Amino acid sequence: MEQPELIARAETHESAIAMRCCPGEYTYRDLLDRSASCAGALLESATDLNEARVAYLVPAGIDYVAAQWGIWRAGGIAVPLSLSATEMELEYTLSDSQSSVVATTSEHVGKIQGLCERLNLKPVVVDQAGPADVSRLPEIDRRRSAMILYTSGTTSKPKGVVSTHANIQAQIESLVKAWKWQSSDSIPLFLPLHHIHGIINILSCALWTGAAIEPQPHFDMKTIIDRVADGAYTLFMAVPTIYVKLIQAIESLPEEERIRAVNGFAQMRLMVSGSAALPASVHEHWTALTTQKLLERYGMTEIGMALSNPYDGERRPGAVGQPLPGVEVRLKSETGNIVTQEQEPGEIQVRGESVFAEYWNRPQATAESFEEENWFRTGDIAVLDRGYYRIMGRQSVDIIKSGGYKLSALEIESVLLDHPAIDQCAVVGVEDETWGEAVAAVVVLVDGKKLDLESLRSWSRDLMSHYKVPKRLMVVESLPRNAMGKVQKPAVRALF
Ligand code: MCA
Ligand code: AMP
């Protein structure tokens, strides 16, 4: 029977440990059985979901895989929801994706029940699904749409990135090959599971290979350091913010604990950084502390991973390396020429089977993001420097990367404008040692009103995920604008 290769492969290592959770361990057979149950519960009497969107709100663990694989095995498109999203954000994702069902767990069903009633969605509780008849599951062609991930960009609201099963398989196979994944690998999973970094680079690559995953509810410094010191992992993948925080935490440990932690990190097979620029100073600091040379790579929701420092060979601080297997990369200059010289900047453009199919329900945005012959325009600027790509920045000032999350300044502005004291506002990302960039807001107040950072933050928390909430606030008489009346973001940024 045709089914996603990731799931078919699980049959070949069914007795291996797939997940070490607290408490208990689960084999690949458990994942297969639980995902079949979920598929059965989603299908009810239907024979195929035929690409209906099924959202799922499930924490990292066996239920997450049961839901994701269950949706795929039933023929649906998986739409992972963020566990830290506010109700307003969840409603947007559910409505925009036109999801008809939400899969969740007994623990989380309360959080989504009200929304399901209001939007007329059916909740399915994954951990209560009974056994299913596998012979009834539909054939899944690899060209079918498999997943929609929401990503912020140059538009106010996030767009849904649609990937097919073939796209996902290509993204996984490229990384498994480049980073030499092995069935003996073991990796912690503390990144959110509504983005590529957690879903593809960690979860799916591990499951493809028959390796073991240790899911954690969130990034908890003490737990991670203890488990690393125990020698629990061979692989570690994280965003730069986590390496900055780890350096601070390890250096403040008492000597004996520090040595144990450092030795734990030193013995790993591979440690990877990505999702945002890793400052060369942090790269070098980490090597000095642990002897590990971090492997920095570059990717994007729409394309999976595109560039990577080598597994064998020089891992250069400040650079993102070369194209991954199966990925074509070129630079296109501002004047529209393909860059052929080193040190000449250009937009990174990417082509290959790992590149997404379309933005959900946005044919114009999809068309505008591709050039002739399927080259995808990333909006990131890079140079080639002694054979390695180096990221210089982004074309749009309205995209902020904070703690590895991609945020839209326009989306945050549209929320802030609803504040009763705010008349005008401009949001920018300002440099921040820990978060890469921090969200900063410059506002013009309504006559006679007052506003301070703390009250703005507590008001914002109900409306947007905590990492979008402004960290800095400046009240001004007027926003810097050009002769046409357009807000000048570089001048706004210079205010901080
Ligand atoms: C949290 N805080 C912040 C931010 N986030 N402050 C400023 N800027 C932020 N971005 C504050 C909170 O308000 C809180 O403060 C305190 O920090 C602790 O919050 P918490 O969330 O618990 O922090 P954490 O657990 O230390 O989170 C850090 C984190 C998390 C683990 C780095 O941000 C994270 O999981 N980031 C990864 C996101 C990711 O996976 N991105 C990949 C996208 P207070 O206590 O005062 O309230 S995929 C992608 O980018 C592409 C494909 C790629 O290339 O990978
Ligand atoms: P996302 O939309 O969350 O998938 O974020 C993708 C964006 O993250 C890219 O377009 C880059 O701007 C940024 N990014 C990912 N990896 C790196 C890296 N190693 N260095 C600099 N920026 C990165």
Side-chain angles (χ1 to χ4, degrees):
M1 186 176 71
E2 196 172 0
Q3 58 176 331
E5 189 62 19
L6 178 61
I7 298 169
R9 288 176 62 91
E11 305 270 0
T12 65
H13 34 245
E14 62 173 354
S15 55
I17 299 298
M19 286 196 166
R20 289 196 301 257
C21 300
C22 289
E25 292 184 336
Y26 297 97
T27 63
Y28 281 84
R29 173 46 52 203
D30 294 326
L31 300 188
L32 287 164
D33 292 346
R34 295 282 291 273
S35 60
S37 298
C38 177
L42 291 169
L43 282 168
E44 293 184 308
S45 57
T47 52
D48 190 333
L49 292 182
N50 287 314
E51 299 190 6
R53 273 75 57 213
V54 180
Y56 58 114
L57 185 74
V58 183
I62 183 162
D63 292 326
Y64 184 97
V65 181
Q68 186 195 54
W69 288 14
I71 295 165
W72 288 343
R73 298 179 84 178
I77 300 181
V79 186
L81 298 173
S82 160
L83 289 161
S84 50
T86 60
E87 179 145 327
M88 194 170 94
E89 291 169 330
L90 289 174
E91 178 165 352
Y92 172 76
T93 308
L94 292 167
S95 309
D96 188 80
S97 62
Q98 299 158 303
S99 292
S100 47
V101 179
V102 184
T104 188
T105 59
S106 335
E107 193 195 335
H108 284 80
V109 68
K111 184 169 178 192
I112 201 86
Q113 195 96 45
L115 260 180
C116 285
E117 279 164 23
R118 193 143 56 78
L119 302 177
N120 199 20
L121 307 173
K122 188 178 79 163
V124 169
V125 180
V126 180
D127 48 319
Q128 285 173 3
D133 176 2
V134 181
S135 66
R136 274 192 55 233
L137 299 179
E139 300 273 333
I140 308 296
D141 185 284
R142 59 202 296 279
R143 285 161 301 191
R144 276 207 204 191
S145 297
M147 184 158 74
I148 302 182
L149 298 182
Y150 275 81
T151 184
S152 294
T154 47
T155 49
S156 171
K157 290 289 190 187
K159 298 192 285 285
V161 173
V162 183
S163 306
T164 62
H165 288 285
N167 297 148
I168 291 172
Q169 184 173 331
Q171 292 176 4
I172 299 170
E173 285 184 304
S174 175
L175 294 185
V176 166
K177 183 170 179 200
W179 299 343
K180 302 193 177 168
W181 273 87
Q182 300 151 20
S183 58
S184 53
D185 278 325
S186 164
I187 189 166
L189 173 52
F190 43 72
L191 292 180
L193 283 176
H194 61 290
H195 285 305
I196 290 253
H197 198 157
I199 300 174
I200 300 291
N201 298 22
I202 301 175
L203 182 73
S204 305
C205 284
L207 297 180
W208 179 275
T209 328
I213 298 160
E214 205 169 276
Q216 291 168 15
H218 56 95
F219 178 73
D220 179 72
M221 186 65 75
K222 184 171 176 343
T223 310
I224 287 295
I225 292 182
D226 283 352
R227 294 294 292 144
V228 168
D230 288 346
Y233 314 122
T234 61
L235 283 172
F236 195 92
M237 296 185 193
V239 297
T241 296
I242 288 181
Y243 290 109
V244 173
K245 287 178 172 237
L246 278 169
I247 289 172
Q248 291 161 355
I250 295 170
E251 287 186 341
S252 56
L253 287 173
E255 191 180 350
E256 204 176 312
E257 285 176 49
R258 178 162 41 83
I259 292 169
R260 257 174 56 75
V262 161
N263 288 344
F265 282 110
Q267 56 79 39
M268 278 191 220
R269 179 173 79 72
L270 175 65
M271 298 190 70
V272 179
S273 174
S275 297
L278 178 71
S281 57
V282 176
H283 193 298
E284 283 153 1
H285 198 150
W286 186 258
T287 307
L289 184 64
T290 67
T291 72
Q292 278 279 354
K293 277 197 185 297
L294 295 175
L295 181 154
E296 184 174 7
R297 56 55 177 185
Y298 158 90
M300 191 174 182
T301 306
E302 288 86 338
I303 58 175
M305 298 303 110
L307 297 163
S308 170
N309 274 277
Y311 184 82
D312 299 305
E314 184 197 3
R315 297 184 192 161
R316 195 183 297 168
V320 290
Q322 292 166 336
L324 279 155
V327 183
E328 285 180 88
V329 174
R330 71 179 188 186
L331 298 182
K332 187 115 179 230
S333 75
E334 238 175 9
T335 53
N337 299 319
I338 308 301
V339 171
T340 52
Q341 306 242 325
E342 288 223 333
Q343 307 301 344
E344 189 189 340
E347 180 189 23
I348 303 177
Q349 300 195 343
V350 177
R351 189 165 71 171
E353 183 135 52
S354 52
V355 176
F356 77 126
E358 58 174 342
Y359 290 115
W360 178 251
N361 271 345
R362 285 178 176 81
Q364 195 183 337
T366 306
E368 285 167 2
S369 68
F370 285 92
E371 295 217 334
E372 77 296 345
E373 295 175 343
N374 297 328
W375 286 98
F376 173 72
R377 309 178 52 195
T378 63
D380 290 308
I381 308 295
V383 292
L384 196 58
D385 178 7
R386 291 169 292 134
Y388 282 34
Y389 286 88
R390 202 151 50 76
I391 313 281
M392 311 291 286
R394 282 180 298 272
Q395 282 173 335
S396 170
V397 283
D398 287 322
I399 293 174
I400 300 170
K401 263 270 157 165
S402 188
Y405 285 107
K406 189 179 190 185
L407 313 177
S408 162
L410 305 178
E411 185 190 0
I412 299 170
E413 284 165 9
S414 82
V415 174
L416 297 186
L417 282 172
D418 281 339
H419 191 287
I422 296 178
D423 182 37
Q424 301 166 38
C425 78
V427 166
V428 289
V430 294
E431 223 176 285
D432 186 280
E433 223 173 275
T434 304
W435 302 102
E437 288 181 295
V439 175
V442 175
V443 300
V444 176
L445 296 180
V446 171
D447 275 349
K449 298 271 189 187
K450 289 205 160 95
L451 186 65
D452 60 39
L453 181 62
E454 254 337 290
S455 69
L456 178 67
R457 283 174 61 78
S458 64
W459 176 86
S460 304
R461 276 196 195 103
D462 287 340
L463 302 171
M464 48 191 169
S465 302
H466 66 282
Y467 44 81
K468 297 181 191 168
V469 168
K471 266 281 178 207
R472 314 266 306 262
L473 172 69
M474 186 174 290
V475 177
V476 294
E477 292 290 317
S478 64
L479 296 175
R481 293 180 187 270
N482 66 12
M484 315 288 285
K486 192 173 176 306
V487 174
Q488 294 299 91
K489 288 283 174 95
V492 172
R493 199 184 273 154
L495 292 172
F496 289 94

